[in-house]
């Protein structure tokens, strides 16, 4: 059974990336620098007639499933043990969307740009919609986008300084994680 967190976030991800009629989600569970191309045997496990997996797929692990039926159409090393960074980003997106509207604009701070491991190539003073920051965070593993989201949502939680905003946001993430079954 898919947890409520997964169902919510994947539904939002679909709304961002796929046509409205589609109910499929393709989840890339590994950063491209860690990618291992799938073997022919691994790519032949697809069970949906209208879906093909690209030959240049770059991921250590992938799952493609229907959210409504919870039927898995394709999986590539779905049981691989991976670092939790991507899971943390899923929680970041989930919690951020409790406090921020997807169409809302976030101005990128100097502190967000200076985040270790940033991949979004964001610049201080730039403005992005929340939905675009979530896409950068999830698709490119952008730590600077994740920090910008946490900072913006932390401000809604009453934080004043950068560190206070992040601390309040992390507190919300911890509370949400504790509430999961």
């Amino acid at each position: 059974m898919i947890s409520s967190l997964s169902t919510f976030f994947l539904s939002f991800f679909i709304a961002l990336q796929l046509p409205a009629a589609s109910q499929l989600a393709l989840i890339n569970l590994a950063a491209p620098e860690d990618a291992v191309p799938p073997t022919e045997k691994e790519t032949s496990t697809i069970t949906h007639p209208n879906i093909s997996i690209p030959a240049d797929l770059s991921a250590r692990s992938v799952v493609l499933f229907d959210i409504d039926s919870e039927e898995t159409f394709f999986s590539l090393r779905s049981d691989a043990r991976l670092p939790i960074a991507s899971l943390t980003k899923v929680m970041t997106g989930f919690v951020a969307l409790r406090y921020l509207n997807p169409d809302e604009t976030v101005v990128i701070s100097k502190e967000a740009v200076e985040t270790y491991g940033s991949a979004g190539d964001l610049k201080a003073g730039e403005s992005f919609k929340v939905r675009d920051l979530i896409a950068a965070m999830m698709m490119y593993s952008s730590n600077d986008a994740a920090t910008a989201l946490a900072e913006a949502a932390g401000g809604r939680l009453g934080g004043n300084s950068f560190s206070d905003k992040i601390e309040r946001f992390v507190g919300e993430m911890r509370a949400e994680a504790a509430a999961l079954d």
Side-chain angles (χ1 to χ4, degrees):
M1 180 67 95
I2 299 173
S3 73
S4 60
L5 171 66
S6 298
T7 301
F8 173 84
F9 191 76
L10 294 175
S11 296
F12 183 77
F13 184 74
I14 285 172
L16 285 174
Q17 300 299 320
L18 300 174
S22 177
Q23 288 298 305
L24 300 176
L26 176 62
I27 308 304
N28 181 339
L29 300 174
E33 64 270 9
D34 296 331
V36 177
T39 65
E40 185 176 321
K41 179 181 178 192
E42 289 170 325
T43 60
S44 66
T45 60
I46 189 114
T47 62
H48 193 283
N50 298 325
I51 300 171
S52 62
I53 301 300
D56 62 347
L57 177 68
S58 63
R60 284 192 300 177
S61 182
V62 175
V63 177
L64 174 68
F65 64 96
D66 182 303
I67 288 179
D68 294 328
S69 71
E70 297 184 14
E71 179 183 356
T72 299
F73 295 115
F74 174 78
S75 66
L76 171 65
R77 297 182 287 267
S78 62
D79 58 350
R81 293 174 77 62
L82 301 172
I84 66 165
S86 294
L87 182 58
T88 302
K89 287 182 174 109
V90 169
M91 182 64 84
T92 298
F94 179 72
V95 173
L97 288 171
R98 289 183 177 252
Y99 299 96
L100 305 171
N101 181 304
D103 292 316
E104 181 177 340
T105 299
V106 171
V107 178
I108 307 303
S109 71
K110 176 179 80 86
E111 293 86 357
V113 170
E114 293 172 350
T115 301
Y116 175 78
S118 63
D121 197 29
L122 305 180
K123 309 280 187 273
E126 289 182 317
S127 297
F128 293 93
K129 288 187 177 190
V130 167
R131 73 174 55 248
D132 296 330
L133 290 171
I134 289 176
M137 177 180 68
M138 296 308 299
M139 295 171 59
Y140 301 104
S141 198
S142 173
N143 291 342
D144 42 1
T147 301
L149 289 164
E151 181 181 11
R156 294 276 168 80
L157 292 163
N160 293 313
S161 67
F162 173 78
S163 60
D164 187 37
K165 291 174 185 177
I166 298 301
E167 186 176 312
R168 288 173 186 255
F169 185 79
V170 169
E172 286 296 306
M173 288 178 62
R174 287 183 178 145
E176 191 64 44
L180 293 174
D181 298 345

